[in-house]
């Protein structure tokens, strides 16, 4: 076995590989850019090597710099993670020439299957059903428009060397094809150093389901079930689960066998993923093969008990698989939510800054354990499992230079419904402050009827949130639970304030039992009857809810129980009450005495400032170009400027017809959130 492995990556995947290597007794080497000098993966590794400036195209994807780190560290093998150089055949070739093992497939398999255009042709030649498209190289935007019209709109423009949603655009007409072609090329060049683009038919109402394969160099290959990855935003996966709630055993077997056959046809070794589009009749079509470890691999590990990183390392060491297809059993259900540094209230645009608070929920081990093809134990060690793969820490910085994903929160349970419920509690327990993040949106998805039914398609987000995400309107039953809990919490605070030392004589403050709670447009009059174990909160209609929990004023997280059901609240203080975040909702909860409530109803409502005639920068980023000039008349939907953040180009468009009166920014400017880019008459 190897003594030392270098991880040619950063962030959570580098930390993930280090954990398995450590378990196997293998020393690890991290690489880092200037921006990652204090990163978690650098702290976790046994040693670390600096490789250059923050931009990935000057550090993490520069083969010569990575090879220098390999040589200086004496590493015997390199794990590439995902992204960066993970599917770069030249990198695999350089390692081979240096006598260093690549923890991944052979160069030939990467060249054949890692390139999206080549893999499509191989699949077609092998008789695999593929989505209609144009697999050749496309020279310019005019040719892209011509090809798109021949295929028929809508079409998908994709980077040949792409992955992770980078360099991908959907075009519904000529203008979008022309615009998307250039943006896709730019993103592909910046992220992968390869700007080749291909075009395929965009299949409406599809499900995105992928098969995990594992092959060794001795002719053995298996599949470890499927992952449902249909909930995507901007072609980037947000929620994944295993198994899929859609597939039956016959379809799963057919897809798995086809995936293994395709992998073995190109001499594939290591872990890899074959992605399919599946329609409503369970017809499946080959989409692409990712010749690397997938971001969402933990859900497969949770339902099979197979450590995929360990298997990759063993295969790279020349070992045979000790697991046969008959050994692979899918036990329970696993769900993964990706925590992104992005603001869901601003169109999911990237957010950067310092993590002033970062407290994931407590991890819990459970689920199946598979070792050498045999099950260990008759049952999981617990009914639920929580796993958080992360690459950040409290006080760390979220950089504008890299992917915005900062953690992958996973839950496992014996059934899908239980896994979803455990995920709801875990999301509510996850504390993140200092940056915009998508925790509220993830909570909303977990409660959405379509997700609960398992009937989602890849169009789920754009169909269910066509105008973006602006929070959650909780049902009255849930608001009552929150009202009962916050009323009891407020009373605790009032009692503490009433007992403050240094009071004047004969000025003892009394804390009453009658309160009014207002939240999300609802008003509840309640009466609290407290005892040593909790409080009974009675509403004016006679309904009573029993509240208990360990919370004291100042604690940012309240883990309460209301009517024997958990209720986890993120708590902030506001005048006369709390800022409460739970189940995707961000609430201002005011708890007042009856007299205070009556006076509050007479207060005027503050009107927010009018910014309708301004274009505000929705996230911190770099202005790539300004598309209009002062005095120009613009139409609704017209591109006004492009702002780049976290390797993604974001085109800002006019919301309505108007005339540009002033432009305050130019190409190359770095802008903060809400900086005024331009103004209109």
């Amino acid at each position: 076995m190897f003594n030392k492995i270098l991880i040619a990556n950063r962030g959570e995947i580098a930390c993930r590989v280090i954990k398995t290597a450590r378990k196997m007794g293998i020393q690890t080497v991290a690489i880092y850019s200037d921006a990652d000098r204090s990163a978690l993966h650098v702290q976790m590794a046994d040693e670390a090597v600096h490789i250059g400036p923050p931009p990935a195209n000057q550090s993490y994807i520069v083969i010569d710099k990575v090879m220098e780190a390999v040589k200086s560290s004496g590493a015997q093998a390199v794990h590439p993670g995902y992204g960066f150089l993970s599917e770069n055949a030249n990198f695999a070739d350089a390692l081979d020439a240096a006598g260093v093992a690549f923890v991944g497939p052979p160069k030939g398999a990467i060249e054949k299957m890692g390139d999206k255009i080549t893999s499509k042709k191989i699949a077609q030649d092998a008789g695999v059903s593929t989505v209609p498209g144009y697999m050749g190289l496309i020279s310019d935007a005019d040719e892209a428009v011509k090809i798109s019209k021949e295929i028929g709109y809508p079409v998908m423009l994709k980077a040949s060397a792409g992955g992770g949603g980078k360099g991908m655009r959907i075009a519904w007409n000529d203008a979008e094809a022309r615009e998307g072609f250039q943006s896709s090329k730019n993103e592909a060049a910046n992220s992968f150093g390869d700007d080749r683009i291909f075009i395929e038919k965009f299949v409406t109402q599809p499900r995105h389901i992928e098969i995990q394969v594992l092959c060794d160099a001795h002719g053995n290959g298996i599949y470890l079930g499927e992952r449902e990855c249909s909930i995507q935003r901007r072609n980037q996966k947000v929620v994944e689960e295993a198994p899929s709630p859609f597939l039956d055993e016959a379809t799963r077997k057919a897809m798995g066998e086809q995936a293994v056959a395709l992998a073995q046809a190109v001499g594939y070794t290591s872990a890899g993923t074959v992605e399919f589009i599946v329609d409503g009749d369970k017809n499946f079509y080959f989409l692409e093969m990712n010749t690397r470890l997938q971001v969402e691999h933990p859900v497969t590990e949770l339902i099979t008990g197979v450590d995929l990183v360990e298997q990759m390392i063993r295969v790279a060491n020349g070992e045979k698989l000790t697991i046969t297809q008959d050994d692979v059993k899918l036990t329970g259900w696993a769900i993964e939510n990706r925590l992104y540094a992005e603001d869901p209230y601003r169109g999911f645009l990237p957010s950067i800054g310092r993590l002033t608070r970062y407290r994931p929920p407590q991890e819990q081990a459970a689920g199946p354990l598979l070792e050498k093809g045999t099950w260990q134990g008759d049952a999981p060690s617990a009914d639920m499992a929580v796993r958080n793969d992360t690459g950040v820490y409290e006080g760390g910085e979220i950089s504008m230079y890299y992917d915005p994903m900062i953690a992958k929160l996973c839950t496992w349970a014996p059934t899908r419904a239980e896994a979803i419920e455990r995920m709801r509690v875990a999301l509510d327990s996850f504390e993140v402050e200092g940056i915009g993040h998508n925790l509220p949106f993830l909570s909303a998805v977990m409660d959405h009827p379509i997700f609960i039914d398992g009937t989602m398609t890849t169009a789920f987000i754009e169909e269910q949130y066509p105008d973006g995400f602006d929070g959650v309107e909780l049902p009255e039953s849930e608001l009552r639970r929150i009202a009962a809990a916050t009323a009891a919490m407020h009373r605790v605070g009032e009692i503490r304030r009433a007992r403050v030392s240094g009071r004047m004589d004969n000025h003892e403050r009394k804390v009453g039992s009658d309160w009014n709670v207002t939240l999300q447009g609802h008003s509840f009059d309640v009466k609290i009857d407290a005892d040593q174990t909790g409080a009974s909160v009675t509403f004016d209609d006679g309904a009573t809810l029993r509240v208990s929990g360990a919370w004291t004023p100042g604690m940012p997280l309240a883990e309460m129980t209301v009517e024997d059901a958990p209720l986890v609240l993120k708590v902030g203080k506001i005048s006369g009450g709390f800022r409460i975040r739970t189940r995707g909702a961000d609430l201002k909860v005011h708890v007042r005495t009856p007299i205070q409530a009556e006076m509050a109803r007479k207060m005027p409502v503050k009107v927010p400032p009018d910014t309708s005639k301004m274009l505000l920068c929705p996230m911190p980023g770099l202005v790539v170009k300004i598309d209009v000039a002062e005095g120009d008349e613009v139409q609704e939907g017209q591109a006004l400027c492009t702002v780049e953040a976290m390797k993604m180009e974001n085109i800002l468009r006019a919301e309505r017809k108007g005339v540009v009166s002033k432009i305050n920014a130019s190409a190359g400017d770095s802008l903060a959130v809400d900086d005024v880019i331009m103004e209109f008459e």
Side-chain angles (χ1 to χ4, degrees):
M1 180 51 68
F2 309 118
N3 295 320
K4 184 184 289 188
I5 291 179
L6 182 142
I7 298 99
N9 217 297
R10 63 174 303 280
E12 68 86 13
I13 188 57
C15 298
R16 162 73 188 90
V17 175
I18 290 171
K19 288 179 181 178
T20 286
R22 182 182 295 163
K23 181 183 71 175
M24 298 175 69
I26 302 171
Q27 288 189 314
T28 55
V29 181
I31 58 173
Y32 64 94
S33 69
D34 291 338
D36 281 339
R37 191 173 298 275
S38 300
L40 184 60
H41 75 282
V42 175
Q43 298 177 30
M44 289 179 62
D46 295 300
E47 56 187 282
V49 181
H50 175 254
I51 57 168
N57 58 10
Q58 298 177 41
S59 52
Y60 289 106
I61 63 173
V62 180
I63 294 176
D64 289 344
K65 290 187 175 182
V66 178
M67 291 304 299
E68 288 175 9
V70 173
K71 182 177 179 180
S72 66
S73 66
Q76 300 162 307
V78 172
H79 196 300
Y82 53 74
F84 292 151
L85 297 173
S86 62
E87 296 178 284
N88 190 305
N90 292 331
F91 181 51
D93 194 37
L95 289 170
D96 184 58
V100 176
F102 180 63
V103 185
K107 172 187 175 183
I110 296 175
E111 289 177 330
K112 293 173 184 176
M113 301 306 292
D115 185 289
K116 308 303 185 292
I117 294 175
T118 304
S119 67
K120 291 280 187 180
K121 292 178 179 177
I122 291 175
Q124 289 172 342
D125 292 343
V128 178
S129 177
T130 58
V131 179
Y134 181 80
M135 298 300 108
L137 296 179
I138 303 168
S139 58
D140 54 34
D142 289 336
E143 186 180 4
V145 170
K146 178 184 176 183
I147 293 169
S148 298
K149 292 170 72 172
E150 291 173 353
I151 295 172
Y153 292 108
V155 297
M156 174 79 80
L157 296 95
K158 300 180 70 174
S160 175
K166 303 297 187 298
M168 299 173 68
R169 292 290 190 280
I170 298 173
W172 295 81
N173 53 49
D174 292 356
E176 291 183 0
R178 187 180 304 279
E179 193 174 77
F181 176 77
Q182 192 58 52
S183 289
S184 293
K185 281 181 72 71
N186 291 345
E187 286 181 9
N190 291 335
S191 296
F192 312 109
D194 184 342
D195 67 354
R196 291 176 298 160
I197 301 297
F198 71 98
I199 301 176
E200 65 184 10
K201 178 72 174 177
F202 178 67
V203 180
T204 57
Q205 298 299 310
R207 296 181 78 114
H208 185 129
I209 300 176
E210 60 190 29
I211 300 291
Q212 176 71 59
V213 298
L214 184 61
C215 303
D216 63 22
H218 304 277
N220 303 305
I222 60 173
Y223 63 92
L224 291 92
E226 80 282 0
R227 295 184 288 259
E228 172 79 57
C229 307
S230 294
I231 296 183
Q232 304 179 3
R233 183 190 49 72
R234 296 174 186 161
N235 307 304
Q236 193 170 52
K237 300 162 189 173
V238 178
V239 177
E240 302 98 353
E241 60 182 302
S244 167
F246 183 62
L247 292 192
D248 53 39
E249 186 55 43
T251 307
R252 176 179 296 115
K253 185 173 185 291
M255 292 175 68
E257 290 176 349
Q258 180 172 317
V260 171
L262 185 62
Q264 292 185 323
V266 294
Y268 195 89
T269 63
S270 193
T273 297
V274 181
E275 301 190 345
F276 294 93
I277 289 179
V278 185
D279 66 21
D281 295 322
K282 295 186 174 67
N283 297 309
F284 56 89
Y285 306 93
F286 171 74
L287 184 61
E288 63 185 27
M289 183 174 187
N290 290 305
T291 58
R292 54 171 168 78
L293 190 67
Q294 288 282 83
V295 174
E296 57 273 18
H297 75 275
V299 291
T300 296
E301 294 183 328
L302 286 169
I303 66 167
T304 62
V306 177
D307 185 328
L308 289 169
V309 173
E310 178 181 350
Q311 294 301 317
M312 293 178 74
I313 293 172
R314 294 192 180 283
V315 168
N317 192 47
E319 298 179 23
K320 291 183 179 181
L321 293 180
T322 58
I323 310 165
T324 68
Q325 193 63 59
D326 290 340
D327 294 324
V328 179
K329 309 295 182 185
L330 308 186
T331 301
W333 217 281
I335 296 174
E336 175 180 290
N337 278 224
R338 299 191 188 187
L339 173 57
Y340 284 114
E342 60 187 13
D343 192 339
Y345 303 107
R346 294 175 178 269
F348 299 96
L349 292 171
S351 177
I352 61 176
R354 189 170 299 281
L355 285 165
T356 57
R357 189 172 183 85
Y358 181 76
R359 306 286 175 87
Q362 183 68 38
E363 290 191 278
Q364 297 173 303
L369 175 64
L370 182 63
E371 183 178 351
K372 298 181 180 179
T374 59
W375 293 102
Q376 303 296 312
D378 297 327
S381 58
D383 291 335
M384 306 283 182
V386 178
R387 168 175 168 175
N388 187 57
D389 285 18
T390 188
V392 303
Y393 57 91
E394 187 168 292
E397 193 98 18
I398 303 300
S399 170
M400 66 178 288
Y401 295 102
Y402 310 115
D403 189 275
M405 190 183 70
I406 58 177
K408 302 181 308 197
L409 181 64
C410 303
T411 57
W412 176 94
T415 67
R416 185 172 187 267
E418 291 171 311
I420 292 173
E421 180 58 30
R422 189 67 190 88
M423 178 61 76
R424 290 172 180 144
V425 174
L427 288 169
D428 285 341
S429 304
F430 208 136
E431 299 178 73
V432 180
E433 304 291 348
I435 60 167
H437 55 78
N438 66 332
L439 281 174
F441 177 71
L442 297 173
S443 292
V445 172
M446 293 299 101
D447 278 334
H448 200 287
I450 290 177
F451 175 74
I452 293 171
D453 291 343
T455 55
M456 59 281 183
T457 71
T458 55
F460 170 82
I461 291 178
E462 64 184 50
E463 289 178 352
Q464 301 305 314
Y465 302 94
D467 300 319
F469 178 77
D470 56 5
V472 171
E473 290 287 330
L474 294 174
E476 184 176 344
S477 58
E478 191 67 15
L479 292 176
R480 280 176 170 259
R481 281 164 40 84
I482 297 169
T486 52
M489 292 159 57
H490 182 78
R491 181 181 177 277
V492 170
E494 286 294 287
I495 291 173
R496 288 189 63 178
R497 285 185 282 274
R499 292 174 178 170
V500 66
S501 61
R503 294 172 296 172
M504 295 176 62
D505 292 340
N506 302 318
H507 283 76
E508 184 175 354
R509 182 179 174 189
K510 301 291 186 182
V511 178
S513 58
D514 292 323
W515 301 92
N516 174 267
V517 185
T518 59
L519 68 167
Q520 210 166 62
H522 289 70
S523 178
F524 301 104
D525 291 322
V526 301
K527 182 183 289 291
I528 302 176
D529 181 17
D531 54 48
Q532 291 185 344
T533 62
S536 295
V537 181
T538 303
F539 290 75
D540 55 2
D541 62 0
T544 299
L545 297 179
R546 182 66 181 175
V547 178
S548 61
W551 181 82
T552 56
M555 291 178 61
L557 194 70
E559 296 178 296
M560 311 296 287
T561 299
V562 180
E563 290 295 285
D564 297 324
L567 177 65
V568 180
L569 309 173
K570 297 185 184 76
V571 184
K573 192 74 181 74
I574 62 174
S575 179
F578 307 97
R579 179 193 179 192
I580 296 293
R581 286 170 289 173
T582 185
R583 300 301 277 266
D586 194 334
L587 311 170
K588 287 184 177 179
V589 182
H590 290 98
V591 186
R592 303 180 174 103
T593 65
I595 294 176
Q596 290 171 335
E598 181 62 29
M599 298 300 293
R601 295 186 189 103
K602 302 180 185 298
M603 297 295 290
V605 178
K606 184 178 180 180
V607 178
D610 181 14
T611 59
S612 61
K613 293 185 178 181
M614 302 176 184
L615 176 66
L616 305 180
C617 189
M619 74 290 190
L622 184 72
V623 178
V624 177
K625 64 175 179 175
I626 301 291
D627 294 298
V628 295
E630 292 182 0
D632 284 359
E633 181 177 303
V634 298
Q635 305 298 318
E636 180 181 354
Q638 180 177 339
L640 300 175
C641 71
T642 302
V643 177
E644 179 185 343
M646 291 184 171
K647 302 192 291 185
M648 296 288 285
E649 289 194 354
N650 305 277
I651 300 172
L652 307 184
R653 303 179 183 276
E655 294 182 353
R656 63 184 67 86
K657 183 178 179 180
V659 176
V660 180
S661 62
K662 185 179 180 182
I663 296 178
N664 302 314
S666 58
D669 288 353
S670 293
L671 302 181
V673 173
D674 288 339
D675 279 355
V676 180
I677 299 174
M678 61 184 71
E679 301 172 31
F680 304 90
E681 294 179 1

